[in-house]
Amino acid sequence: MSIAEFPKSSDLIDFLVNKGNGVKGLSQIGLKIVPQKFIQPHQERLDISQIVSSESIPIIDFSNFNDPKVAKSICDAAEKWGFFQIVNHGIPVEVLENVIEAGHKFFELPVEERRKYLKENSPTHTVQLKTSFSPFAEKVLEWKDYLFHIYDSDDESSDFWPAVSKDQVLEYMKWAKPVIVKLLEVLLRRLNVNRLDEPTKSVVMGTLIVNLIHYPVCPSPELTAGAGRHADVSSITMLLQDDVGGLYVREPKGDGWIHVPPVKGALVINIRDVLQIMSNDRYKSVEHRVIVNDSRNRVSVPIFVNPAPDAVFGPLTQVLEDGEKPLYKQVIYSDYFNYFFSKGHEGKQAIEFAKL
């Protein structure tokens, strides 16, 4: 099969989405030329001259997270960088390695097995196979597929998740959730929220989504994007990278991009739009992007820590209690989420939806 097999964009979408082949399927047929629909405009490609090698995001020892100095370093990183890595977080390395391997194994399954988890085929709404970002809305497709999970430790629908990856994802989430709670407690404390009670939990972590993202080998990675530049609509994201690399974040001041190198056993934490809004811009939700590789498949496992769909959020009253003016209105999370996915990645544009 060649690029000529996809004379129209609709043919490509049918192959990728409707038939469930995904970008993995494109990679497997040995394309030498990237389909036009995946080619990023020149201004959206990462140029080597934009890479800032003299800076790096902080790496923080999380073993004593309640230590005031550690808490300060976490909150300072959230304010300046919007990104940091944590080590010594308590999750065993084998749990991390197993969930990365599970991501590889799922996408090594025959397409007949993978397509069982397309939205229209999946035995439960809590697991779905997806491709790109929003393939029916975006102008340019992204070079990735992912297995999407909605996690709830009390929901038995996880029994229907793929056997090749289910146990590894559930084990990882069992360990990861307490770390997420600790991180949010530290971050909220600086915002004068001294207790993560149930109503607050509903707003900051009412829904946990974990994805196994697969970025297949690409014949022309310089033309494409695994993820275009964007900021996300969660509270925070906790990302596990494999050893391939490819994540870049916007530098705090300027237009450059900083590589986030894989560190064995580390988790990448980034602040998302919800926490920027709740903090009234104290914390920064920062643009980031992913480039792909011409020789190795890449797997990453992000946990998106989201509000409950019906949660209403805006600048916290504790942040505004000294008379500070709110920069954002109160927003229903499902409205914000749906707005974000109604179009392709557009940098930091989504947060304008919530501005006063």
Side-chain angles (χ1 to χ4, degrees):
M1 186 177 286
S2 71
I3 194 69
E5 297 291 325
F6 307 111
K8 295 185 295 186
S9 176
S10 58
D11 296 327
L12 180 62
I13 294 294
D14 185 58
F15 176 86
L16 293 169
V17 181
N18 301 331
K19 293 179 179 175
N21 290 286
V23 181
K24 173 71 174 182
L26 280 183
S27 183
Q28 286 178 315
I29 62 178
L31 287 181
K32 303 299 182 188
I33 301 173
V34 172
Q36 184 64 37
K37 188 70 173 171
F38 284 95
I39 296 179
Q40 294 284 329
H42 283 281
Q43 68 272 19
E44 294 298 333
R45 300 176 198 170
L46 180 61
D47 189 282
I48 192 168
S49 66
Q50 298 174 296
I51 297 173
V52 180
S53 57
S54 58
E55 293 197 83
S56 59
I57 68 168
I59 298 175
I60 298 169
D61 185 337
F62 197 65
S63 56
N64 294 312
F65 68 95
N66 270 326
D67 183 297
K69 290 182 179 178
V70 176
K72 182 178 184 302
S73 66
I74 289 169
C75 296
D76 287 352
E79 290 185 1
K80 177 183 177 181
W81 297 90
F83 268 83
F84 52 94
Q85 300 201 64
I86 59 171
V87 295
N88 299 324
H89 41 67
I91 305 177
V93 170
E94 59 268 26
V95 172
L96 305 180
E97 292 175 343
N98 288 346
V99 76
I100 288 287
E101 183 63 20
H104 283 288
K105 285 183 176 178
F106 176 80
F107 285 99
E108 288 167 1
L109 292 173
V111 66
E112 294 78 16
E113 289 296 313
R114 298 199 306 272
R115 68 163 60 108
K116 290 178 181 178
Y117 299 96
L118 291 173
K119 181 177 181 180
E120 62 270 23
N121 300 337
S122 182
T124 169
H125 75 284
T126 64
V127 65
Q128 292 178 28
L129 175 63
K130 298 174 180 283
T131 195
S132 190
F133 170 66
S134 187
F136 294 106
E138 58 198 338
K139 295 177 181 177
V140 182
L141 297 174
E142 297 180 345
W143 196 265
K144 70 179 175 208
D145 306 309
Y146 60 99
L147 191 65
F148 159 99
H149 312 74
I150 301 173
Y151 174 76
D152 182 341
S153 57
D154 298 324
D155 188 343
E156 294 181 356
S157 69
S158 61
D159 292 344
F160 299 101
W161 292 2
V164 74
S165 55
K166 175 188 70 173
D167 291 343
Q168 294 89 337
V169 171
L170 291 173
E171 182 70 7
Y172 177 51
M173 292 303 295
K174 182 187 79 174
W175 285 92
K177 189 174 179 180
V179 178
I180 291 166
V181 170
K182 292 171 185 175
L183 275 166
L184 287 170
E185 286 175 342
V186 169
L187 289 164
L188 289 171
R189 205 172 296 133
R190 179 168 284 191
L191 304 178
N192 300 317
V193 178
N194 295 317
R195 181 168 170 263
L196 192 56
D197 57 19
E198 289 307 313
T200 308
K201 274 189 178 180
S202 177
V203 174
V204 295
M205 57 176 299
T207 306
L208 299 179
I209 293 172
V210 56
N211 291 344
L212 301 179
I213 306 181
H214 185 259
Y215 302 93
V217 167
C218 178
S220 301
E222 72 282 358
L223 301 179
T224 61
R229 60 183 184 87
H230 67 287
D232 285 321
V233 293
S234 312
S235 300
I236 62 171
T237 298
M238 190 162 82
L239 174 73
L240 172 62
Q241 299 194 83
D242 67 8
D243 64 346
V244 175
L247 173 63
Y248 287 80
V249 305
R250 181 74 80 180
E251 65 177 331
K253 295 179 181 178
D255 295 324
W257 294 91
I258 299 168
H259 185 225
V260 182
V263 174
K264 187 176 177 62
L267 296 167
V268 181
I269 311 300
N270 72 295
I271 304 302
R272 302 291 187 154
D273 285 4
V274 169
L275 210 54
Q276 176 170 334
I277 291 167
M278 292 177 71
S279 71
N280 212 38
D281 277 0
R282 280 173 174 73
Y283 294 145
K284 300 296 186 292
S285 175
V286 175
E287 280 187 326
H288 51 287
R289 66 200 306 171
V290 176
I291 64 168
V292 289
N293 198 284
D294 62 2
S295 60
R296 294 183 66 189
N297 298 319
R298 178 177 185 260
V299 165
S300 67
V301 185
I303 301 172
F304 298 104
V305 182
N306 293 350
D310 60 352
V312 178
F313 69 98
L316 290 162
T317 55
Q318 294 92 329
V319 172
L320 304 177
E321 61 188 7
D322 290 334
E324 183 176 324
K325 291 185 178 180
L327 301 174
Y328 302 94
K329 59 188 176 184
Q330 298 291 312
V331 177
I332 300 171
Y333 183 67
S334 59
D335 291 346
Y336 194 53
F337 184 88
N338 291 334
Y339 174 76
F340 181 65
F341 279 95
S342 69
K343 55 190 74 182
H345 280 143
E346 294 183 334
K348 284 275 291 179
Q349 290 301 310
I351 205 165
E352 297 296 322
F353 179 84
K355 282 194 173 176
L356 287 169

